[in-house]
Amino acid sequence: MSDKAVITCALNGVLTDPKQHNVPVTPEQMAREAKAAFNAGASIMHIHLRQQEPNKGHLPSWDVGVSKEIQQAIREACPGVIINHTTGTSGPNYQGALDCVRETRPEIAACNAGSLNYLKVKADNTWAWPPMMFDNAVEKVQDYLDVMKAAGTIPEFECFDVGIVRCVGMYRQTGMYSGPLEYNFVMGVASGMPADPELLPILLKLKAPEAHWQVTAIGRAEIWPLHQRAADLGGHLRSGLEDTFYLGDGTKVTSNGQLVEGLAACARRAGREIASPAEARQIFGTRH
């Protein structure tokens, strides 16, 4: 168990529309939200890129220039912060994601470790969006791992289901990857693992014993017992406007800082202190 809890803030995500929710899009907005999260205890900022043109902020971007501007703005606002860059894409064209990692060399990047039917059903029993496959074939995973190795970037293995957790061990067994292991258990996607605290002990049995781990809990107020269980079991913590807009008491937040404050409270209830950026770098073995 890690005595100190590293907090990651997922600043904006890819699905949230800035016209509907208070998510940051521009470098200035990203820096401002990162600063609020940083001041509340987050050492790592997980970033998604959005198109910067007027009325295009709800659309994803893989523009290397946008990535560099956002990272620079966040680093200037948050001395010593660690960047965790998204790479999630569906379909055969993921060159933009590879380019962003290769050209900007973030300390950490998401590596989605397996495929998932990404589904959700509304109350009227119709699809919330057209059923889609979030495809992460082994060849695609290898391409990401190769680029991350060349960039000196540590992969954070995103696991949306129990079988995907087990796949990560196979990547190590077959020599696809030989560096430090960091699992992110993504819980709460309707067609993936539920946001159920009772599932955590099973996942911990399935991960590599020495590996670091954290939970991404997706949902509303009901996810907070899962955050607390993760803190109690020695995991690292993550939240942000990508994952939720609600605190445990049902309050709707307006800033990432409020969510990070909630995570810090979970850690302290578990008797743990919050890791500084320097301590987070030491724990995860990222570049200084």
Short mmCIF file of all heavy atoms in Angstrom, two decimals, residues 118-152:
data_model
loop_
_atom_site.label_atom_id
_atom_site.label_comp_id
_atom_site.label_asym_id
_atom_site.label_seq_id
_atom_site.Cartn_x
_atom_site.Cartn_y
_atom_site.Cartn_z
N TYR A 118 -19.10 0.07 -26.53
CA TYR A 118 -19.38 1.25 -25.71
C TYR A 118 -20.86 1.58 -25.87
O TYR A 118 -21.27 2.18 -26.87
CB TYR A 118 -18.48 2.41 -26.15
CG TYR A 118 -18.22 3.41 -25.06
CD1 TYR A 118 -17.20 3.19 -24.13
CD2 TYR A 118 -18.98 4.55 -24.94
CE1 TYR A 118 -16.94 4.10 -23.12
CE2 TYR A 118 -18.74 5.47 -23.93
CZ TYR A 118 -17.72 5.24 -23.02
OH TYR A 118 -17.48 6.14 -22.02
N LEU A 119 -21.65 1.18 -24.88
CA LEU A 119 -23.10 1.23 -24.98
C LEU A 119 -23.72 1.92 -23.78
O LEU A 119 -23.17 1.90 -22.68
CB LEU A 119 -23.68 -0.19 -25.04
CG LEU A 119 -23.06 -1.18 -26.03
CD1 LEU A 119 -23.67 -2.56 -25.84
CD2 LEU A 119 -23.24 -0.70 -27.46
N LYS A 120 -24.89 2.49 -23.99
CA LYS A 120 -25.71 3.00 -22.89
C LYS A 120 -27.15 3.05 -23.38
O LYS A 120 -27.42 3.40 -24.53
CB LYS A 120 -25.25 4.39 -22.45
CG LYS A 120 -25.97 4.90 -21.21
CD LYS A 120 -25.42 6.24 -20.76
CE LYS A 120 -26.14 6.72 -19.50
NZ LYS A 120 -25.62 8.03 -19.03
N VAL A 121 -28.08 2.70 -22.47
CA VAL A 121 -29.50 2.69 -22.80
C VAL A 121 -30.21 3.74 -21.96
O VAL A 121 -29.97 3.86 -20.75
CB VAL A 121 -30.11 1.29 -22.56
CG1 VAL A 121 -31.62 1.31 -22.78
CG2 VAL A 121 -29.46 0.26 -23.47
N LYS A 122 -31.07 4.51 -22.57
CA LYS A 122 -31.82 5.55 -21.87
C LYS A 122 -33.04 4.95 -21.15
O LYS A 122 -33.39 3.79 -21.36
CB LYS A 122 -32.28 6.63 -22.86
CG LYS A 122 -31.13 7.39 -23.50
CD LYS A 122 -31.62 8.58 -24.31
CE LYS A 122 -32.40 8.16 -25.53
NZ LYS A 122 -32.71 9.31 -26.42
N ALA A 123 -33.70 5.77 -20.35
CA ALA A 123 -34.86 5.32 -19.58
C ALA A 123 -35.99 4.82 -20.47
O ALA A 123 -36.79 3.98 -20.06
CB ALA A 123 -35.35 6.44 -18.68
N ASP A 124 -36.05 5.33 -21.70
CA ASP A 124 -37.12 4.89 -22.61
C ASP A 124 -36.71 3.65 -23.42
O ASP A 124 -37.37 3.30 -24.41
CB ASP A 124 -37.53 6.02 -23.54
CG ASP A 124 -36.39 6.46 -24.48
OD1 ASP A 124 -35.28 5.87 -24.41
OD2 ASP A 124 -36.60 7.39 -25.27
N ASN A 125 -35.61 3.00 -22.98
CA ASN A 125 -35.12 1.75 -23.59
C ASN A 125 -34.60 1.91 -25.01
O ASN A 125 -34.57 0.95 -25.79
CB ASN A 125 -36.20 0.66 -23.54
CG ASN A 125 -36.59 0.29 -22.13
OD1 ASN A 125 -35.74 0.27 -21.24
ND2 ASN A 125 -37.87 0.03 -21.90
N THR A 126 -34.15 3.12 -25.34
CA THR A 126 -33.48 3.33 -26.62
C THR A 126 -31.99 3.64 -26.34
O THR A 126 -31.61 4.01 -25.22
CB THR A 126 -34.10 4.50 -27.39
OG1 THR A 126 -33.95 5.71 -26.63
CG2 THR A 126 -35.58 4.25 -27.64
N TRP A 127 -31.18 3.47 -27.36
CA TRP A 127 -29.75 3.73 -27.20
C TRP A 127 -29.49 5.21 -26.92
O TRP A 127 -30.06 6.07 -27.58
CB TRP A 127 -28.97 3.33 -28.45
CG TRP A 127 -28.98 1.86 -28.76
CD1 TRP A 127 -29.53 1.26 -29.84
CD2 TRP A 127 -28.41 0.82 -27.97
NE1 TRP A 127 -29.34 -0.10 -29.79
CE2 TRP A 127 -28.65 -0.40 -28.63
CE3 TRP A 127 -27.72 0.78 -26.75
CZ2 TRP A 127 -28.23 -1.63 -28.14
CZ3 TRP A 127 -27.30 -0.45 -26.25
CH2 TRP A 127 -27.55 -1.64 -26.94
N ALA A 128 -28.62 5.48 -25.97
CA ALA A 128 -28.24 6.86 -25.67
C ALA A 128 -27.42 7.46 -26.81
O ALA A 128 -27.43 8.68 -27.03
CB ALA A 128 -27.46 6.92 -24.37
N TRP A 129 -26.69 6.63 -27.52
CA TRP A 129 -25.95 7.01 -28.73
C TRP A 129 -25.88 5.76 -29.61
O TRP A 129 -26.11 4.65 -29.12
CB TRP A 129 -24.55 7.54 -28.40
CG TRP A 129 -23.72 6.63 -27.56
CD1 TRP A 129 -23.10 5.47 -27.94
CD2 TRP A 129 -23.44 6.78 -26.16
NE1 TRP A 129 -22.46 4.89 -26.89
CE2 TRP A 129 -22.63 5.68 -25.78
CE3 TRP A 129 -23.76 7.75 -25.20
CZ2 TRP A 129 -22.18 5.52 -24.47
CZ3 TRP A 129 -23.31 7.59 -23.91
CH2 TRP A 129 -22.53 6.49 -23.55
N PRO A 130 -25.58 5.89 -30.88
CA PRO A 130 -25.47 4.70 -31.73
C PRO A 130 -24.42 3.74 -31.16
O PRO A 130 -23.31 4.18 -30.82
CB PRO A 130 -25.04 5.26 -33.09
CG PRO A 130 -25.49 6.68 -33.07
CD PRO A 130 -25.38 7.14 -31.65
N PRO A 131 -24.74 2.46 -31.00
CA PRO A 131 -23.76 1.52 -30.45
C PRO A 131 -22.43 1.60 -31.21
O PRO A 131 -22.41 1.64 -32.44
CB PRO A 131 -24.43 0.16 -30.65
CG PRO A 131 -25.89 0.47 -30.63
CD PRO A 131 -26.02 1.81 -31.29
N MET A 132 -21.35 1.66 -30.43
CA MET A 132 -20.04 1.80 -31.05
C MET A 132 -19.04 0.86 -30.41
O MET A 132 -19.20 0.44 -29.26
CB MET A 132 -19.53 3.24 -30.92
CG MET A 132 -19.32 3.71 -29.50
SD MET A 132 -18.45 5.29 -29.37
CE MET A 132 -16.77 4.78 -29.68
N MET A 133 -18.04 0.50 -31.18
CA MET A 133 -16.94 -0.31 -30.68
C MET A 133 -15.75 0.59 -30.39
O MET A 133 -15.27 1.31 -31.28
CB MET A 133 -16.55 -1.37 -31.72
CG MET A 133 -15.23 -2.07 -31.44
SD MET A 133 -15.21 -3.03 -29.91
CE MET A 133 -16.11 -4.48 -30.46
N PHE A 134 -15.30 0.59 -29.13
CA PHE A 134 -14.06 1.27 -28.77
C PHE A 134 -12.96 0.24 -28.96
O PHE A 134 -12.70 -0.59 -28.11
CB PHE A 134 -14.14 1.76 -27.33
CG PHE A 134 -12.93 2.57 -26.89
CD1 PHE A 134 -12.18 3.29 -27.79
CD2 PHE A 134 -12.57 2.60 -25.55
CE1 PHE A 134 -11.07 4.03 -27.39
CE2 PHE A 134 -11.48 3.33 -25.13
CZ PHE A 134 -10.72 4.04 -26.06
N ASP A 135 -12.37 0.26 -30.15
CA ASP A 135 -11.48 -0.82 -30.58
C ASP A 135 -10.04 -0.55 -30.18
O ASP A 135 -9.48 0.49 -30.48
CB ASP A 135 -11.58 -1.01 -32.10
CG ASP A 135 -11.24 0.27 -32.86
OD1 ASP A 135 -11.82 1.32 -32.55
OD2 ASP A 135 -10.39 0.21 -33.77
N ASN A 136 -9.48 -1.51 -29.48
CA ASN A 136 -8.08 -1.42 -29.06
C ASN A 136 -7.44 -2.79 -29.24
O ASN A 136 -7.16 -3.52 -28.27
CB ASN A 136 -7.98 -0.95 -27.61
CG ASN A 136 -8.48 0.47 -27.44
OD1 ASN A 136 -7.84 1.42 -27.86
ND2 ASN A 136 -9.66 0.63 -26.84
N ALA A 137 -7.24 -3.15 -30.50
CA ALA A 137 -6.62 -4.43 -30.83
C ALA A 137 -5.18 -4.45 -30.34
O ALA A 137 -4.55 -3.41 -30.08
CB ALA A 137 -6.67 -4.65 -32.34
N VAL A 138 -4.63 -5.65 -30.24
CA VAL A 138 -3.26 -5.82 -29.73
C VAL A 138 -2.27 -5.02 -30.57
O VAL A 138 -1.34 -4.40 -30.04
CB VAL A 138 -2.89 -7.31 -29.69
CG1 VAL A 138 -1.40 -7.49 -29.40
CG2 VAL A 138 -3.73 -8.03 -28.63
N GLU A 139 -2.47 -5.00 -31.89
CA GLU A 139 -1.54 -4.26 -32.77
C GLU A 139 -1.59 -2.76 -32.46
O GLU A 139 -0.56 -2.08 -32.49
CB GLU A 139 -1.91 -4.51 -34.22
CG GLU A 139 -1.74 -5.94 -34.70
CD GLU A 139 -2.90 -6.84 -34.29
OE1 GLU A 139 -3.93 -6.34 -33.78
OE2 GLU A 139 -2.77 -8.07 -34.48
N LYS A 140 -2.76 -2.26 -32.17
CA LYS A 140 -2.92 -0.84 -31.83
C LYS A 140 -2.25 -0.54 -30.49
O LYS A 140 -1.52 0.45 -30.35
CB LYS A 140 -4.41 -0.50 -31.77
CG LYS A 140 -4.76 0.97 -31.56
CD LYS A 140 -6.27 1.13 -31.65
CE LYS A 140 -6.71 2.58 -31.48
NZ LYS A 140 -8.19 2.71 -31.57
N VAL A 141 -2.46 -1.42 -29.52
CA VAL A 141 -1.82 -1.26 -28.21
C VAL A 141 -0.30 -1.24 -28.38
O VAL A 141 0.41 -0.42 -27.79
CB VAL A 141 -2.25 -2.38 -27.24
CG1 VAL A 141 -1.44 -2.33 -25.95
CG2 VAL A 141 -3.74 -2.29 -26.94
N GLN A 142 0.22 -2.14 -29.23
CA GLN A 142 1.66 -2.19 -29.45
C GLN A 142 2.19 -0.90 -30.07
O GLN A 142 3.26 -0.40 -29.69
CB GLN A 142 2.03 -3.37 -30.34
CG GLN A 142 3.53 -3.56 -30.53
CD GLN A 142 4.21 -4.05 -29.27
OE1 GLN A 142 4.07 -5.22 -28.91
NE2 GLN A 142 4.95 -3.18 -28.59
N ASP A 143 1.44 -0.34 -31.00
CA ASP A 143 1.85 0.93 -31.62
C ASP A 143 1.97 2.02 -30.56
O ASP A 143 2.93 2.81 -30.54
CB ASP A 143 0.85 1.35 -32.69
CG ASP A 143 0.94 0.53 -33.96
OD1 ASP A 143 1.97 -0.15 -34.15
OD2 ASP A 143 -0.01 0.55 -34.76
N TYR A 144 0.99 2.09 -29.67
CA TYR A 144 1.04 3.09 -28.59
C TYR A 144 2.23 2.84 -27.68
O TYR A 144 2.96 3.76 -27.31
CB TYR A 144 -0.25 3.06 -27.78
CG TYR A 144 -1.40 3.79 -28.42
CD1 TYR A 144 -2.62 3.14 -28.65
CD2 TYR A 144 -1.29 5.11 -28.81
CE1 TYR A 144 -3.69 3.81 -29.23
CE2 TYR A 144 -2.35 5.78 -29.40
CZ TYR A 144 -3.54 5.12 -29.61
OH TYR A 144 -4.59 5.79 -30.19
N LEU A 145 2.44 1.58 -27.30
CA LEU A 145 3.54 1.26 -26.39
C LEU A 145 4.89 1.60 -27.01
O LEU A 145 5.79 2.10 -26.32
CB LEU A 145 3.48 -0.21 -25.99
CG LEU A 145 2.30 -0.61 -25.09
CD1 LEU A 145 2.28 -2.13 -24.89
CD2 LEU A 145 2.38 0.10 -23.75
N ASP A 146 5.03 1.36 -28.31
CA ASP A 146 6.30 1.66 -28.99
C ASP A 146 6.57 3.17 -28.98
O ASP A 146 7.71 3.61 -28.71
CB ASP A 146 6.27 1.14 -30.42
CG ASP A 146 6.32 -0.38 -30.50
OD1 ASP A 146 6.64 -1.02 -29.47
OD2 ASP A 146 6.01 -0.92 -31.58
N VAL A 147 5.55 3.95 -29.28
CA VAL A 147 5.73 5.40 -29.30
C VAL A 147 6.01 5.93 -27.89
O VAL A 147 6.87 6.80 -27.70
CB VAL A 147 4.48 6.08 -29.91
CG1 VAL A 147 4.47 7.57 -29.62
CG2 VAL A 147 4.44 5.86 -31.41
N MET A 148 5.31 5.40 -26.90
CA MET A 148 5.53 5.86 -25.53
C MET A 148 6.95 5.51 -25.05
O MET A 148 7.60 6.32 -24.38
CB MET A 148 4.48 5.24 -24.60
CG MET A 148 3.08 5.79 -24.83
SD MET A 148 1.85 5.03 -23.75
CE MET A 148 0.34 5.46 -24.63
N LYS A 149 7.42 4.35 -25.42
CA LYS A 149 8.78 3.97 -25.03
C LYS A 149 9.80 4.94 -25.64
O LYS A 149 10.72 5.42 -24.95
CB LYS A 149 9.08 2.54 -25.48
CG LYS A 149 10.47 2.05 -25.08
CD LYS A 149 10.68 0.60 -25.47
CE LYS A 149 12.06 0.11 -25.05
NZ LYS A 149 12.27 -1.32 -25.42
N ALA A 150 9.62 5.27 -26.90
CA ALA A 150 10.55 6.19 -27.57
C ALA A 150 10.48 7.59 -26.97
O ALA A 150 11.48 8.31 -26.95
CB ALA A 150 10.23 6.24 -29.07
N ALA A 151 9.29 7.97 -26.48
CA ALA A 151 9.10 9.32 -25.92
C ALA A 151 9.46 9.41 -24.44
O ALA A 151 9.44 10.50 -23.87
CB ALA A 151 7.65 9.75 -26.13
N GLY A 152 9.77 8.27 -23.82
CA GLY A 152 10.02 8.29 -22.38
C GLY A 152 8.75 8.51 -21.58
O GLY A 152 8.78 9.06 -20.47
#
